[in-house]
Amino acid sequence: MTTRELSSILLRVEKPARYVGGEYNMPDMDKPCRHRTCLCFSDKYEVGMSNIGVRILYHMLNDMEGFICERSFAPDLDMAQELKSRGQRLFSLETKRDIVDFDLIGFSVQFELQYTNIPYMFDLAGIPLYAKDRPEDFPPVVAGGPCAVNPMPFAPFFDAILIGDGEITFKQINELHLRCLEQGLSKSEFLRLATEIDGVYVPSIGNRTKRAVVQNLDEAYFPTSVLVPNCDIVHDRSTIELFRGCANGCRFCQACFFYRPIRERKPDTLVRYATELMDNTGYDELSLCSLSTSDYSHLKEMVDGIKEQADKRKVKLALPSLRLDSFEAEIYEETSGSSLTFAPEAGTQRLRNVINKNISEQDIYNSIKGAMEHGVKNVKLYFMMGLPTETDEDLQGIVDIVYLVKDLHRQYGKSKLINIVVSTAVFIPKPLTPFQWERQITIEEMKHKQDFLKEKLRIKNVKYSWHGAESSVIEALLARGDESLARVIEEAYKQGAVFDSWSEHFHYEYWLNAIQKFNVDVDEFVGEQAEDKDFCWDIVDNGVTKAYLLAERHKSRQGVTTPNCIGKCNGCGASKLGRCFK
């Protein structure tokens, strides 16, 4: 697309800064190049630019000799209409080149409700939807991201799926493709060779593979001179990743098991990264990112080191959600602020034992009391509803925790008012978790539970928000779906489904029409699964064994908890992929 053609479009769309590129810290796009990749993100610019994984892969490839990586995001509907009406194709931000003109095309797929954005972007780019329908001379189209835990619903759209740490798979797949191009090998030969790389699944071959794992995060690539976006984005700040994996073993949490083994960065490495990011980006806020940040083994030392540098630069250090058993008042005081986020997940001790959320009533009391004593006046509480064995008594426990916060504020709070936000998400049975065999509750049950809490949480200065019931069903369907759902995704898109994760765009009827067209039995995927069932995602060795997950499920039914594995290995199996550094 020419500059003149783009300029005429930008005057007609909302947030034109999404489409112009040229951000501060842009890598050199004119360097000698032997292989050019377009990294596509299946959501809008402001979502994709907030993603730390995309930042890492983009800058990693551009820092490699002979490689250039450009970006493309899902354009908003107004931009898509402009492209279609003018006969233009989806393009990269850096050089405005058509996506189909790259040597290799990569897609980052972060969650299930992004799946219809794949045919949306393919359509705009001129990419035939199914890999089998693309000719040999068409560039390979690969996908990765958290949804690669079970890639089967979207696998038919891609030539290869990258599973695990992208610093390994994305680098190796690009290097391999360059060698194949220079040797004159076909795409089929490239894909055959790709199956020899750990973490690469080729749907047309159906190979078994093992998730790729970075062994030492201190030696892994991490960019500290990153793009600064042209407009406000969802997480508009610098971010450093402390560690990968999680020791806590919450039985509903896919990320906990998918990102094992647990690997930490050293405090001095993190202080160096943070300092360089502050100097190179100009952001006034720095966030610490990990699944359970307060479990980082050198948290105080690391925070002190970063805080010293941040204070010199007038940069705010932000902590994410904390575990209720590890609220560190001193650290909170150092990172300032008047808001705190906790995730009890369940309202009663009984249900927290079922899901292995290893926090006690006393932990909750002590943490909230400590927060009040240090001037917190805004509290966010996150819970799940529809968890296995949940009853109305467990929902009442959510209400009781809210009243506990208000009572402790009256006794110990330093602020005049306390504002409480309660959010509930519907439980989604996810692959690679002890609850991958569980059923999802029905829409009727979801609405009953939401109505229960709406009524009970009519409390002054308390706000209640919840996830949509219908979208939760679709998320569960896709989470445990197989290749047969690819045509459902395609049909839902044809019906009009796109940007399903944005509530204003989600239309349940589009999905119902697609489901009915192909006579899909939704309960086959969202209902309880037999314990001896062979799942379609079993083709990938993710480290954590199925036997361990099943044993955890049985323990959940007995209300028996498993301690976190910081002090002692629980034998989940992830250590065969790499040593846990704790």
Side-chain angles (χ1 to χ4, degrees):
M1 177 179 290
T2 67
T3 301
R4 177 175 293 182
E5 289 169 335
L6 179 58
S7 296
S8 65
I9 293 176
L10 295 178
L11 295 173
R12 300 172 59 88
V13 299
E14 184 181 4
K15 295 186 179 180
R18 292 166 166 164
Y19 311 110
V20 297
E23 294 95 336
Y24 184 70
N25 285 332
M26 176 71 67
D28 181 8
M29 291 291 125
D30 296 320
K31 72 177 188 180
C33 175
R34 295 154 57 203
H35 190 276
R36 195 175 290 266
T37 297
C38 189
L39 178 56
C40 303
F41 189 87
S42 50
D43 214 318
K44 299 178 186 180
Y45 176 90
E46 48 266 52
V47 179
M49 285 293 289
S50 301
N51 185 274
I52 190 172
V54 170
R55 293 180 191 175
I56 291 172
L57 300 185
Y58 172 77
H59 286 283
M60 176 190 73
L61 211 56
N62 279 309
D63 279 349
M64 291 166 53
E65 183 179 352
F67 290 86
I68 283 180
C69 184
E70 303 187 31
R71 298 160 297 143
S72 186
F73 301 92
D76 213 340
L77 300 179
D78 57 351
M79 183 63 169
Q81 182 57 42
E82 290 294 329
L83 292 175
K84 288 183 176 180
S85 67
R86 296 162 188 258
Q88 297 283 357
R89 287 180 169 177
L90 189 59
F91 54 89
S92 69
L93 296 191
E94 284 76 2
T95 64
K96 312 303 181 288
R97 172 186 319 245
D98 286 357
I99 289 176
V100 295
D101 291 336
F102 283 81
D103 296 312
L104 186 141
I105 303 166
F107 269 75
S108 176
V109 186
Q110 296 291 310
F111 42 86
E112 290 82 3
L113 293 181
Q114 287 183 339
Y115 287 1
T116 52
N117 289 0
I118 297 170
Y120 172 65
M121 294 183 73
F122 277 31
D123 190 10
L124 292 171
I127 303 173
L129 181 56
Y130 290 91
K132 64 181 178 60
D133 296 331
R134 298 193 287 268
E136 272 287 315
D137 60 354
F138 200 91
V141 188
V142 305
C147 286
V149 174
N150 174 24
M152 297 308 172
F154 60 85
F157 306 149
F158 292 96
D159 295 295
I161 308 294
L162 311 184
I163 304 166
D165 292 335
E167 297 97 327
I168 297 176
T169 56
F170 196 57
K171 178 177 184 287
Q172 291 183 350
I173 204 78
N174 275 276
E175 291 175 331
L176 173 63
H177 190 243
L178 173 58
R179 292 197 300 271
C180 289
L181 287 178
E182 293 181 338
Q183 294 172 18
L185 300 182
S186 67
K187 180 166 64 176
S188 295
E189 290 170 307
F190 158 70
L191 293 173
R192 179 183 58 80
L193 291 170
T195 63
E196 299 175 7
I197 300 173
D198 280 350
V200 176
Y201 169 68
V202 177
S204 61
I205 296 176
N207 61 296
R208 301 190 71 86
T209 191
K210 179 174 66 175
R211 178 166 56 89
V213 170
V214 169
Q215 298 297 315
N216 187 336
L217 284 186
D218 282 308
E219 298 175 358
Y221 179 87
F222 190 84
T224 57
S225 183
V226 299
L227 294 176
V228 179
N230 290 327
C231 61
D232 290 341
I233 60 174
V234 175
H235 301 300
D236 208 1
R237 53 183 175 261
S238 293
T239 303
I240 56 171
E241 179 193 37
L242 309 187
F243 64 95
R244 287 184 198 169
C246 180
N248 294 302
C250 297
R251 291 170 177 143
F252 59 83
C253 182
Q254 185 182 75
C256 169
F257 298 100
F258 182 60
Y259 289 107
R260 289 184 177 183
I262 302 157
R263 295 146 290 157
E264 291 189 344
R265 287 189 166 96
K266 295 176 181 176
D268 57 347
T269 301
L270 294 169
V271 173
R272 174 166 55 85
Y273 287 166
T275 303
E276 292 175 4
L277 276 167
M278 288 185 280
D279 289 341
N280 294 332
T281 63
Y283 276 115
D284 60 3
E285 184 174 346
L286 175 73
S287 176
L288 309 180
C289 171
S290 282
L291 291 175
S292 183
T293 294
S294 52
D295 287 331
Y296 179 65
S297 59
H298 304 284
L299 185 63
K300 182 68 167 61
E301 176 187 351
M302 181 268 301
V303 168
D304 286 346
I306 294 178
K307 188 71 165 54
E308 179 183 354
Q309 299 302 320
D311 286 346
K312 293 177 183 178
R313 295 161 175 81
K314 294 181 169 48
V315 173
K316 177 184 177 183
L317 182 58
L319 282 175
S321 171
L322 298 175
R323 282 181 58 82
L324 282 166
D325 60 346
S326 57
F327 177 79
E328 297 269 358
E330 186 177 0
I331 290 176
Y332 173 79
E333 200 164 43
E334 288 182 352
T335 57
S336 69
S338 59
S339 300
L340 208 63
T341 301
F342 286 139
E345 306 294 2
T348 63
Q349 191 62 52
R350 184 200 70 82
L351 191 54
R352 285 192 293 275
N353 290 346
V354 168
I355 66 176
N356 206 49
K357 189 76 175 181
N358 281 307
I359 55 174
S360 66
E361 300 284 355
Q362 192 62 47
D363 290 329
I364 295 174
Y365 180 92
N366 291 341
S367 297
I368 296 175
K369 177 176 177 287
M372 296 303 106
E373 290 174 337
H374 284 80
V376 169
K377 58 183 179 182
N378 299 295
V379 175
K380 295 180 181 178
L381 298 171
Y382 287 97
F383 297 91
M384 301 191 76
M385 63 165 50
L387 289 161
T389 77
E390 182 183 76
T391 66
D392 283 357
E393 182 179 343
D394 300 305
L395 297 179
Q396 178 60 45
I398 295 175
V399 180
D400 295 342
I401 290 175
V402 171
Y403 277 113
L404 175 65
V405 173
K406 292 182 74 70
D407 288 344
L408 290 175
H409 175 260
R410 277 193 291 268
Q411 296 178 55
Y412 303 103
K414 293 186 176 180
S415 61
K416 291 184 179 180
L417 296 175
I418 183 73
N419 297 304
I420 304 170
V421 176
V422 179
S423 295
T424 59
V426 175
F427 164 67
I428 310 291
K430 295 269 188 170
L432 197 64
T433 70
F435 287 166
Q436 65 180 355
W437 291 275
E438 303 297 340
R439 77 175 186 101
Q440 184 184 55
I441 61 173
T442 64
I443 287 180
E444 291 72 26
E445 289 174 291
M446 294 177 199
K447 292 186 174 179
H448 161 75
K449 293 172 184 291
Q450 289 168 350
D451 289 343
F452 179 96
L453 289 175
K454 287 178 196 176
E455 180 62 32
K456 295 281 188 174
L457 292 175
R458 294 177 183 271
I459 305 168
K460 185 178 180 180
N461 296 324
V462 174
K463 179 181 178 182
Y464 173 49
S465 63
W466 59 92
H467 285 199
E470 292 83 1
S471 62
S472 297
V473 172
I474 300 304
E475 187 177 348
L477 171 68
L478 297 173
R480 291 199 300 202
D482 57 24
E483 290 183 329
S484 69
L485 294 186
R487 58 185 183 174
V488 175
I489 296 169
E490 177 189 16
E491 180 60 28
Y493 167 67
K494 289 179 178 178
Q495 292 275 334
V498 69
F499 293 117
D500 291 304
S501 61
W502 299 70
S503 58
E504 65 268 31
H505 292 301
F506 180 78
H507 295 279
Y508 190 44
E509 63 271 21
Y510 297 156
W511 285 97
L512 285 181
N513 292 339
I515 289 166
Q516 291 167 3
K517 178 176 180 177
F518 295 107
N519 297 312
V520 173
D521 180 3
V522 174
D523 193 58
E524 177 186 345
F525 299 103
V526 306
E528 185 173 0
Q529 308 292 298
E531 290 188 347
D532 60 354
K533 180 176 180 176
D534 292 326
F535 293 118
C536 58
W537 56 86
D538 290 343
I539 198 169
V540 179
D541 180 0
N542 279 296
V544 178
T545 66
K546 201 171 183 179
Y548 178 83
L549 297 175
L550 189 57
E552 282 294 296
R553 185 197 190 207
H554 293 163
K555 289 174 72 174
S556 77
R557 285 298 188 267
Q558 301 163 12
V560 176
T561 62
T562 299
N564 72 38
C565 53
I566 292 176
K568 179 182 177 183
C569 177
N570 289 320
C572 73
S575 60
K576 68 186 175 186
L577 298 182
R579 181 185 168 196
C580 281
F581 290 88
K582 290 303 293 181

